């Protein structure tokens, strides 16, 4: 019994690490590439299981390299993840995220993947999906604009993407982050663009320096290849955008984020005088404060 009592505190160490609230603005890093000391150093004992969770505002969602949400739309993000150490350097991960708004449908995302981590270098590959509940499909027909805008699209239905993320540690406090994503965004039937799906590609570059981190993310979308399009569309039609964000993690478990969504954007013009509606690519500067309780 005495040995069991002495062992219990040791067993709680991973849970204590998991219980720490993760910063909600880590430039595209999911739970399994955050700044948790265990996950970053690759020191999880083989066969161990690490549970992580966070609750934050949607402020961090705009820096996700897969999808872009309006940073000023409000709402909350709740996520839970599992890490299982296959070997001392390889972990498997599963993560579920829910984004909720008061007046808009929620979006549920899931991601599974694996990470190779040597301590200084890490590389993660994953497959992710985001979708709205089926009951939300009828909302655009009754309440125009009620569906959450994703990547500037008002008729977002779901998306699937393959992600690659890497980190190179310069030292204990500094690092470089790289990310890439390829996927497909599906739109609701009868959307104003007149399209069923859009192919998306994204690249991200981030830098960490102590308590300050920043990232730049570039995205491009174009109609799904090989699908018949309206006469006003061409197969090379696309929309491009660049987001920029900086986060300062404060000593009292708070964070200050500022930047701009769609700092630069472009889209091909149509051949008709009016043309179909474009995805909303208006520049959106923001300054947000988040406090972990």
């Amino acid at each position: 019994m005495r040995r069991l009592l002495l062992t219990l505190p040791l067993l709680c160490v991973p849970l204590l690490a998991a219980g720490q609230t993760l910063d909600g603005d880590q430039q595209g890093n999911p739970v399994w590439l955050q700044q948790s000391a265990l996950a970053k150093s690759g020191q999880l004992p083989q066969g161990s299981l690490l549970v992580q969770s966070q609750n934050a505002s949607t402020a961090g969602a705009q820096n996700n390299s897969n999808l872009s949400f309006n940073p000023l739309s409000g709402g909350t993000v709740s996520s839970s993840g599992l890490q299982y150490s296959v070997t001392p350097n390889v972990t498997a991960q599963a993560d579920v995220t829910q984004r909720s708004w008061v007046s808009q449908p929620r979006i549920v995302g899931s991601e599974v993947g694996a990470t190779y981590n040597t301590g200084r270098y890490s590389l993660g590959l994953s497959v992710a999906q985001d979708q709205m509940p089926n009951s939300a499909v009828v909302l655009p027909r009754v309440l125009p604009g009620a569906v959450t805008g994703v990547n500037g699209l008002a008729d977002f239905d779901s998306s699937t993407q393959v992600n690659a993320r890497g980190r190179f540690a310069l030292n204990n406090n500094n690092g470089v982050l790289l990310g890439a994503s390829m996927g497909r965004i599906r739109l609701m039937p009868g959307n104003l663009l007149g399209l069923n799906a859009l192919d998306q590609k994204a690249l991200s570059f981030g830098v960490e320096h102590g308590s300050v981190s920043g990232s730049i993310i570039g995205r491009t979308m174009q109609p799904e290849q090989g699908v018949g399009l309206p006469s006003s569309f061409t197969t090379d039609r696309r929309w491009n955008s660049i987001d920029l964000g900086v986060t300062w993690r404060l000593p009292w478990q708070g964070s200050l984020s500022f930047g701009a969504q769609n700092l630069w954007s472009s889209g091909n013009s149509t051949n008709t005088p009016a043309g179909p509606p474009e995805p909303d690519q208006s520049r959106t500067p923001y300054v947000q404060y988040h406090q972990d309780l």
Side-chain angles (χ1 to χ4, degrees):
M1 178 62 70
R2 180 178 299 175
R3 180 177 300 177
L4 177 61
L5 292 176
L6 293 175
T7 306
L8 285 177
L10 297 178
L11 295 177
C12 292
V13 171
L15 298 178
L16 291 174
Q20 294 178 355
T21 302
L22 300 177
D23 181 66
D25 196 358
Q26 283 293 322
Q27 287 69 47
N29 281 355
V31 169
W32 43 277
L33 275 181
Q34 292 285 355
Q35 292 307 302
S36 166
L38 292 174
K40 185 172 70 172
S41 63
Q43 298 301 313
L44 282 176
Q46 184 173 349
S48 62
L49 182 67
L50 179 64
V51 181
Q52 295 176 305
S53 64
Q54 71 169 354
N55 291 280
S57 68
T58 52
Q62 81 275 3
N63 283 326
N64 188 305
S65 61
N66 306 323
L67 296 176
S68 174
F69 298 84
N70 190 327
L72 302 180
S73 61
T76 58
V77 177
S78 301
S79 65
S80 298
L82 296 175
Q83 283 192 42
Y84 178 75
S85 178
V86 181
T87 71
N89 299 113
V90 178
T91 57
Q93 305 90 16
D95 181 61
V96 177
T97 302
Q98 176 176 283
R99 296 175 176 86
S100 303
W101 295 266
V102 174
S103 59
Q104 298 175 331
R106 60 190 174 93
I107 293 180
V108 178
S110 59
E111 186 172 13
V112 294
T115 299
Y116 177 75
N117 194 334
T118 63
R120 189 173 187 184
Y121 304 90
S122 66
L123 175 64
L125 299 175
S126 66
V127 178
Q129 184 179 51
D130 293 271
Q131 60 184 356
M132 291 192 300
N134 293 333
S135 60
V137 173
V138 299
L139 286 178
R141 313 284 77 83
V142 180
L143 300 173
V147 176
T148 304
V150 179
N151 281 35
L153 302 166
D155 293 309
F156 173 84
D157 181 30
S158 63
S159 68
T160 304
Q161 55 273 335
V162 178
N163 309 310
R165 300 182 180 93
R167 183 181 189 277
F168 173 67
L170 302 176
N171 52 43
N172 291 335
N173 297 317
N174 304 316
V176 176
L177 306 171
L178 297 173
S181 174
M182 295 182 61
R184 182 159 295 170
I185 297 175
R186 286 167 287 278
L187 305 179
M188 291 184 177
N191 63 83
L192 297 178
L193 278 175
L195 299 172
N196 295 324
L198 294 169
D199 291 331
Q200 177 187 248
K201 299 179 180 67
L203 291 175
S204 63
F205 174 79
V207 176
E208 299 171 336
H209 179 67
S211 60
V212 179
S213 58
S215 71
I216 183 170
I217 303 170
R219 299 182 180 88
T220 180
M221 296 185 298
Q222 65 182 105
E224 180 183 0
Q225 297 296 320
V227 177
L229 300 174
S231 58
S232 60
F233 278 82
T234 60
T235 55
D236 63 346
R237 181 170 176 77
R238 59 174 57 89
W239 299 271
N240 308 300
S241 64
I242 292 179
D243 299 345
L244 178 66
V246 176
T247 295
W248 178 25
R249 295 184 298 277
L250 303 171
W252 52 87
Q253 294 185 333
S255 63
L256 180 65
S257 302
F258 59 92
Q261 190 179 71
N262 295 323
L263 180 66
W264 173 88
S265 61
S266 68
N268 295 349
S269 60
T270 61
N271 297 325
T272 60
E278 301 279 334
D280 183 9
Q281 292 185 296
S282 56
R283 183 181 296 115
T284 308
Y286 63 89
V287 177
Q288 294 180 326
Y289 175 78
H290 173 71
Q291 179 65 56
D292 295 328
L293 299 176

